[in-house]
Amino acid sequence: MLKFHRDRQENPPPRQRWGQRAAFCWIVGFMLAFFPLYALGLLGMPRRSAAFFEPAYLPWTMAAMVGAVVILVAMLCLLIQLWISVRDRHANRVPGGDPWDGRSLEWSVSSPPPEYNFPVIPEVHSRDAYMRQKETGGGAHPRPDDYGDIEMPANSAMGPIFAITGFLLAFGLTWYQWWLIVAAGVASLIALIARGYVRDTTRLIPAAEVRRQHETWLATLASLTPVTRADEQSAANRGLPASPIEGAVQ
């Protein structure tokens, strides 16, 4: 076990390496970019100065500039990590939904989870209900006796609308662009009033569709190879831990 963790530390996967680089650059860059500003404030430098003629300010401003460059490198590392994650998304999928042998119910569904989360409302009788299901003979993923229709909120454009108008409103308030403030406020008010006239606010997922999705996932679980704790961070981990789940898929 110790050898495995040592090997993982020495040879982490690419996305983890770029994440470590991003974290290091963020920490160092933040300290370099912002800590010198405290010294500049103590030296008497005013904020938002376009130019200065005090030689004592120069070393601190140069340090802050280096910090800003390091932060840019950190952002670049994050973008590379995102690209690697998207590129390798199929190899890194964990359809079983439980890659870390979780204890609570959010790990008892597929990854990504269905929009309704659970095919039937789970009954909880103890703390760490999912782990309790694993430890008992009933299995961690029992098939429900019956499925029912699930009512879900209907899709709405209010979220994106408020995100855009809120950004425009904040931008206008920051830069005193009153025409933009009024336009964004009026657009938000119109969207809010229009939403009040919407009557179809829910939609129904038929029980047959819920059954189909859940049965498909259970079949996927049955095809997965359980992994031990030592292999959790390997490519073999598809979201089904080996212990204490033996024969959990019924």
Side-chain angles (χ1 to χ4, degrees):
M1 179 69 72
L2 291 176
K3 180 180 184 300
F4 167 78
H5 287 294
R6 186 165 55 251
D7 292 341
R8 294 295 300 174
Q9 292 174 359
E10 294 174 356
N11 300 293
R15 66 183 186 279
Q16 182 175 333
R17 289 199 300 269
W18 284 106
Q20 292 169 347
R21 293 164 184 164
F24 177 80
C25 290
W26 271 112
I27 295 170
V28 174
F30 185 89
M31 290 190 294
L32 278 176
F34 292 99
F35 284 13
L37 303 185
Y38 291 100
L40 288 170
L42 292 174
L43 290 172
M45 180 179 179
R47 297 181 62 190
R48 300 175 183 174
S49 297
F52 60 84
F53 302 97
E54 176 59 55
Y57 297 163
L58 184 60
W60 299 102
T61 55
M62 294 298 293
M65 184 183 70
V66 172
V69 173
V70 176
I71 289 177
L72 287 176
V73 174
M75 297 177 66
L76 177 62
C77 291
L78 284 176
L79 291 175
I80 294 175
Q81 184 187 29
L82 176 62
W83 175 77
I84 291 175
S85 298
V86 173
R87 183 195 65 186
D88 300 338
R89 63 188 181 278
H90 296 297
N92 296 325
R93 288 182 66 246
V94 285
D98 187 17
W100 313 121
D101 198 8
R103 304 183 66 87
S104 49
L105 286 171
E106 66 265 26
W107 301 102
S108 67
V109 296
S110 62
S111 177
E115 58 181 322
Y116 46 80
N117 289 331
F118 304 103
V120 296
I121 297 178
E123 296 184 5
V124 178
H125 301 286
S126 63
R127 181 182 296 180
D128 297 334
Y130 184 42
M131 182 58 68
R132 179 69 63 178
Q133 289 177 340
K134 297 178 183 181
E135 294 172 347
T136 60
H141 308 98
R143 282 186 171 86
D145 295 330
D146 194 18
Y147 296 86
D149 298 339
I150 297 179
E151 186 178 73
M152 296 289 295
N155 295 329
S156 171
M158 291 299 293
I161 291 174
F162 278 143
I164 295 172
T165 57
F167 171 80
L168 295 176
L169 188 63
F171 187 88
L173 288 170
T174 302
W175 299 104
Y176 304 104
Q177 298 184 8
W178 303 111
W179 66 269
L180 186 59
I181 296 171
V182 173
V186 170
S188 300
L189 183 61
I190 291 174
L192 186 63
I193 294 173
R195 178 63 183 176
Y197 286 94
V198 175
R199 293 296 176 262
D200 296 329
T201 58
T202 61
R203 61 190 180 89
L204 207 64
I205 302 177
E209 176 62 18
V210 177
R211 176 187 293 273
R212 184 193 67 79
Q213 293 184 17
H214 191 61
E215 295 286 338
T216 300
W217 178 60
L218 291 179
T220 301
L221 276 179
S223 67
L224 299 178
T225 301
V227 296
T228 61
R229 180 71 73 177
D231 293 327
E232 273 187 352
Q233 299 187 51
S234 69
N237 187 357
R238 310 296 285 177
L240 184 64
S243 180
I245 309 177
E246 276 88 17
V249 182
Q250 299 180 349

